[in-house]
Amino acid sequence: MERSDILKLAELARIEITDATVDEVAARLTDVLALVDQLQAADTDSIRPMAHPLDAVQTLRADTITESNQREAFQEIAPATENGLYLVPKVIE
Amino acid sequence: MHTKTIAELAAGLRAKEYTSVELTQHFLNRIKNLDSQYNSFVSITEEIALAQAKEADERLAKGDANPLCGIPIAHKDIFCTNGVRTACGSKMLDNFIPPYDATVVENLRAAGAVMLGKVNMDEFAMGSSNETSFYGPVKNPWDTDCVPGGSSGGSAAAVAGLLAPGATATDTGGSIRQPASHCGLTGIKPTYGRVSRWGMIAFASSLDQAGVLTRSAEDAAIMLSAMASYDDKDSTCINQPTEDYTATLGNSLDGLRIGVPKEYFGEGLRPEIAEHVRTALKWYEGQGATLVDIELPHTHLSVPAYYVIAPAECSANLSRFDGVRYGHRCDDPKDLNDLYKRTRAEGFGDEVKRRILVGTYALSAGYYDAYYRKAMKVRRLIKQDFDQAFEKVDVIMGPTTTAPAFKFGAKGNDPVAMYLEDIYTIATNLAGLPGLSIPCGLVDEKPVGLQVIGKAFDEGKLLNVAHQYQLATDFHQLTAPGIK
């Protein structure tokens, strides 16, 4: 993997990667991709992808309210809140 | 008291040899005096433990029949505990105090179990050595220069060090069975969907499953019977009646068909481990079981398939850690993107970042078909191998690991070498099947495990097969040298 690939991935994954570590990350990811590339040798032409090991289907429930409002409990552990809202840096200029 | 199994302690409580408060205090003292050697506990919940023990004593006085009532246990720090920090081995959640209990925690509490504290683990359960924890590595009680295995290394070291008679754990690619093997314990990963994942911090949602680490199959049966339940809060939980796994422990092994996959005895396996496993197989034959040679021809593709699927799911699951609602947040973000990127760069360790990046790559435009879709197809091939084998056999047996526990730093900076630690365990997760590891001998004076894999929802059979072996052998009763 190239430096530019890593920087693009880091941007997509929203993880800052410093210049000093890009090469190391690239080398390790290249090793992992070499391992997973063994998959390419498998003949899977007539095989359907398997998402669930027991082929179960999504269970559904009635569309009714089952949870009580716990906003205060949840916001107690938030890094920054105000008047019941979560605070983030200004998004719109 | 600490050398006894859960079943023995349950009898002792009822014979009034000690109260749950005394038992709990005894284990709390051991943790405080001895855990500095292992680093297995990240939180000791003394006040909660003693209050729960007092309640359990009241229940016992009224004749409560649940074998877990009054038994102290440890929870892997991946299970949310109301009001008690749940950090999942990560700096990202170092300040996270959940406002609710995981279903597993709730179920065990309802059975009367007492929570001693929370135990260490690889960060977000990503690792096979416990070296990736933000709280430092856990040491193997059998040899403190060696890893306990991972990711449930804290659970394993706590039980092997006789600091708790049993512990909860989770297994995404071998994280219960591999530490069980390395620490001389019994560990079971149930069928996918048998135990609720609600409140269990997600790593790879189609593979993660909760189970237990104990010192006998009987104890595992006791704990799993209380943990397993259908839970409508986990939409992947399978709606199937729960069982009392202790009821079938005594079944005869006569007529049992055991599949022995040749792929599990290939290159890379220490010959001494193969020898111990074959000795165990011979014992089963003597009990009336039949050994059947089987093939699981796609085994070699299980690690590659796993390292696409697990990172892909992890990259999606861990996107929730954004510094907005809970957990770590970087200082002075200059804009929203900076908040996300620095929060995640600071909060996650190297291995977690690596897996998020691999997963992001496998799911990105242009690579999805070549990696993710391909891996999902190979996953079906692996599942079909097991389906075909289980037409001929009742259980499959082989080694749990290729070698006994390795020294800290032995896999260095090589993630692929670490990934291959789980070569015999990963296929079971991909196929969603239950798997168990029990001690079957020593190699280099360290324990090694026999793995037993079953059909979906055949946990009772696995525990029966393990219990019968433990009635006739004493490998599960061995404790690490120096532990008194």
Side-chain angles (χ1 to χ4, degrees):
Chain A
M1 296 206 96
E2 305 291 328
R3 284 176 73 90
S4 57
D5 297 328
I6 298 296
L7 293 172
K8 185 173 170 229
L9 274 182
E11 182 63 31
L12 287 172
R14 298 289 186 274
I15 295 176
E16 187 180 69
I17 291 187
T18 59
D19 235 27
T21 57
V22 176
D23 291 333
E24 169 69 14
V25 172
R28 296 287 82 83
L29 288 200
T30 303
D31 292 346
V32 175
L33 292 178
L35 170 80
V36 305
D37 269 337
Q38 292 175 31
L39 291 174
Q40 306 313 329
D43 177 6
T44 55
D45 282 352
S46 57
I47 305 295
R48 280 180 303 122
M50 188 179 92
H52 190 291
L54 306 173
D55 282 328
V57 291
Q58 185 74 44
T59 53
L60 300 173
R61 62 166 175 83
D63 185 16
T64 50
I65 297 168
T66 53
E67 290 285 320
S68 54
N69 182 4
Q70 300 181 65
R71 185 168 71 179
E72 277 167 29
F74 295 155
Q75 291 203 334
E76 217 165 280
I77 51 173
T81 59
E82 197 178 295
N83 300 327
L85 303 171
Y86 291 96
L87 291 187
V88 294
K90 196 170 168 184
V91 178
I92 302 163
E93 293 300 327
Chain B
M1 288 183 259
H2 55 271
T3 57
K4 294 190 189 311
T5 63
I6 291 174
E8 289 165 348
L9 291 172
L13 285 168
R14 280 165 186 83
K16 299 198 166 53
E17 287 167 28
Y18 33 78
T19 63
S20 175
V21 169
E22 286 164 358
L23 186 62
T24 300
Q25 192 63 63
H26 178 73
F27 277 105
L28 287 169
N29 291 344
R30 280 186 65 81
I31 295 164
K32 282 188 266 183
N33 294 332
L34 302 169
D35 193 41
S36 55
Q37 301 171 72
Y38 314 129
N39 192 31
S40 66
F41 278 80
V42 290
S43 312
I44 304 171
T45 52
E46 180 160 10
E47 261 176 53
I48 295 173
L50 291 172
Q52 288 179 347
K54 196 162 164 269
E55 255 174 64
D57 280 330
E58 285 160 17
R59 281 171 60 169
L60 286 163
K62 288 182 195 142
D64 193 307
N66 195 308
L68 272 181
C69 189
I71 304 292
I73 57 162
H75 283 303
K76 185 174 181 179
D77 206 27
I78 197 168
F79 294 102
C80 285
T81 41
N82 194 356
V84 176
R85 184 189 67 180
T86 302
C88 216
S90 183
K91 180 182 176 187
M92 184 62 91
L93 291 176
D94 184 45
N95 62 1
F96 176 58
I97 298 175
Y100 70 107
D101 278 328
T103 299
V104 159
V105 172
E106 219 171 76
N107 285 353
L108 287 167
R109 168 130 171 72
V114 169
M115 173 171 74
L116 292 167
K118 308 290 294 287
V119 283
N120 206 345
M121 55 182 284
D122 276 300
E123 184 178 10
F124 285 105
M126 297 177 200
S128 305
S129 68
N130 239 281
E131 292 170 293
T132 73
S133 171
F134 175 62
Y135 301 95
V138 176
K139 294 172 182 169
N140 189 326
W142 285 82
D143 179 348
T144 49
D145 291 332
C146 286
V147 305
S151 66
S152 308
S155 306
V159 178
L162 309 186
L163 306 181
T168 55
T170 60
D171 189 316
T172 304
S175 285
I176 291 175
R177 290 160 287 157
Q178 184 250 19
S181 180
H182 285 347
C183 292
L185 300 175
T186 299
I188 183 165
K189 175 205 96 75
T191 310
Y192 180 76
R194 174 69 288 181
V195 177
S196 170
R197 294 187 297 110
W198 199 76
M200 185 176 115
I201 295 170
F203 154 23
S205 299
S206 80
L207 303 162
D208 297 342
Q209 182 61 202
V212 296
L213 280 158
T214 56
R215 289 175 45 236
S216 73
E218 184 183 20
D219 285 1
I222 290 171
M223 278 187 77
L224 190 60
S225 298
M227 267 169 77
S229 67
Y230 172 64
D231 181 7
D232 59 13
K233 295 201 286 286
D234 170 5
S235 64
T236 61
C237 210
I238 307 286
N239 196 352
Q240 179 144 325
T242 49
E243 290 172 57
D244 175 4
Y245 297 114
T246 62
T248 46
L249 289 174
N251 288 1
S252 161
L253 299 175
D254 194 27
L256 182 77
R257 297 168 304 166
I258 301 172
V260 184
K262 69 169 199 271
E263 293 79 4
Y264 285 40
F265 292 85
E267 203 188 323
L269 175 64
R270 281 280 295 268
E272 302 95 317
I273 296 185
E275 199 51 45
H276 285 314
V277 170
R278 290 198 195 282
T279 304
L281 290 171
K282 203 159 252 137
W283 179 85
Y284 279 104
E285 242 183 337
Q287 306 304 303
T290 318
L291 303 185
V292 183
D293 288 326
I294 57 162
E295 285 181 21
L296 299 170
H298 296 95
T299 298
H300 66 290
L301 294 176
S302 58
V303 173
Y306 179 90
Y307 279 97
V308 172
I309 293 167
E313 294 183 11
C314 123
S315 72
N317 271 326
L318 272 61
S319 65
R320 75 192 65 190
F321 301 107
D322 58 4
V324 175
R325 290 152 304 154
Y326 48 81
H328 178 71
R329 176 181 214 160
C330 69
D331 289 331
D332 305 320
K334 66 177 195 300
D335 55 33
L336 193 59
N337 215 22
D338 183 46
L339 167 72
Y340 294 150
K341 286 167 73 176
R342 279 199 294 125
T343 293
R344 290 162 65 78
E346 294 167 8
F348 293 136
D350 288 345
E351 180 60 22
V352 171
K353 286 180 198 168
R354 199 146 49 219
R355 295 207 196 181
I356 292 174
L357 292 172
V358 169
T360 304
Y361 181 74
L363 292 175
S364 61
Y367 298 101
Y368 182 94
D369 281 353
Y371 287 100
Y372 187 62
R373 207 175 149 79
K374 183 80 179 178
M376 301 244 288
K377 289 180 172 186
V378 170
R379 186 174 185 181
R380 187 176 297 280
L381 291 175
I382 290 165
K383 171 74 169 27
Q384 287 173 348
D385 284 355
F386 281 109
D387 289 345
Q388 279 159 17
F390 279 125
E391 283 172 12
K392 291 180 286 191
V393 301
D394 304 305
V395 295
I396 293 172
M397 288 191 190
T400 309
T401 60
T402 56
F406 51 90
K407 287 202 160 40
F408 287 102
K411 311 274 174 186
N413 201 9
D414 182 357
V416 172
M418 189 69 84
Y419 297 172
L420 292 171
E421 247 311 278
D422 295 325
I423 192 157
Y424 299 140
T425 52
I426 268 180
T428 315
N429 297 76
L430 291 168
L433 301 172
L436 164 151
S437 179
I438 46 174
C440 69
L442 298 178
V443 172
D444 301 341
E445 292 161 19
K446 284 178 286 199
V448 294
L450 167 75
Q451 185 177 206
V452 191
I453 302 166
K455 297 176 188 172
F457 298 102
D458 247 358
E459 287 80 4
K461 170 80 76 189
L462 297 189
L463 291 162
N464 160 230
V465 162
H467 178 67
Q468 291 302 311
Y469 180 74
Q470 292 182 341
L471 287 177
T473 58
D474 63 357
F475 299 117
H476 64 295
Q477 288 167 340
L478 299 177
T479 46
I483 293 185
K484 287 194 269 300

